[in-house]
Amino acid sequence: MGDQGFLGSLFDISFSSLITTKVIKVLYVLSMVIIGLFALVVVVAAFSNSVAGGIVVLVIVAPLAGLLYLIYVRVLLELVIVIFRIMETNVELVSLQRAQVAGGVAPPPPPSSSSGPEPPGPTGLS
């Protein structure tokens, strides 16, 4: 994955450069603004219905709902970032393994599935 700019990554038809990790902060800020505006609309609507309902919505409902939605959005965006970081780590591991094999160094053997010591080999009686 090359280090292309945002527009270079955006128009990369082969999808070798990903833009999600570059725009995730913008998506989070945009989500905060939208949640705040929605809470404001709900408060105004509650005040237009009744003053007591507006105060309850202003003090309790809107902040609590906004906080819960913000936590939900944050968890979803963190999940996306974790998935992309796993992918980046896997790409690094594959490139390291390919370099190891190309250099003539065999990768370490997988761990043995047996629980005890291996049985002794033939004694060499011939």
Side-chain angles (χ1 to χ4, degrees):
M1 289 185 291
D3 288 337
Q4 299 177 350
F6 177 75
L7 289 177
S9 296
L10 186 62
F11 294 110
D12 180 22
I13 296 176
S14 67
F15 289 92
S16 61
S17 178
L18 305 173
I19 64 167
T20 305
T21 56
K22 296 174 185 172
V23 298
I24 203 83
K25 293 176 187 175
V26 174
L27 290 175
Y28 186 59
V29 170
L30 187 63
S31 299
M32 286 193 295
V33 169
I34 290 172
I35 290 170
L37 289 175
F38 184 72
L40 183 64
V41 167
V42 169
V43 168
V44 168
F47 268 113
S48 69
N49 193 14
S50 73
V51 175
I55 291 173
V56 169
V57 169
L58 177 66
V59 174
I60 298 171
V61 176
L64 185 61
L67 181 66
L68 290 176
Y69 275 117
L70 191 61
I71 290 170
Y72 177 72
V73 168
R74 177 69 186 222
V75 168
L76 287 179
L77 292 176
E78 285 181 4
L79 183 63
V80 169
I81 287 297
V82 165
I83 290 170
F84 278 89
R85 287 192 179 151
I86 289 171
M87 185 268 316
E88 290 172 353
T89 303
N90 284 342
V91 167
E92 289 177 17
L93 287 174
V94 167
S95 66
L96 286 173
Q97 285 179 344
R98 286 184 181 159
Q100 222 176 17
V101 170
V105 178
S112 142
S113 62
S114 64
S115 59
E118 293 186 23
T123 58
L125 296 173
S126 46

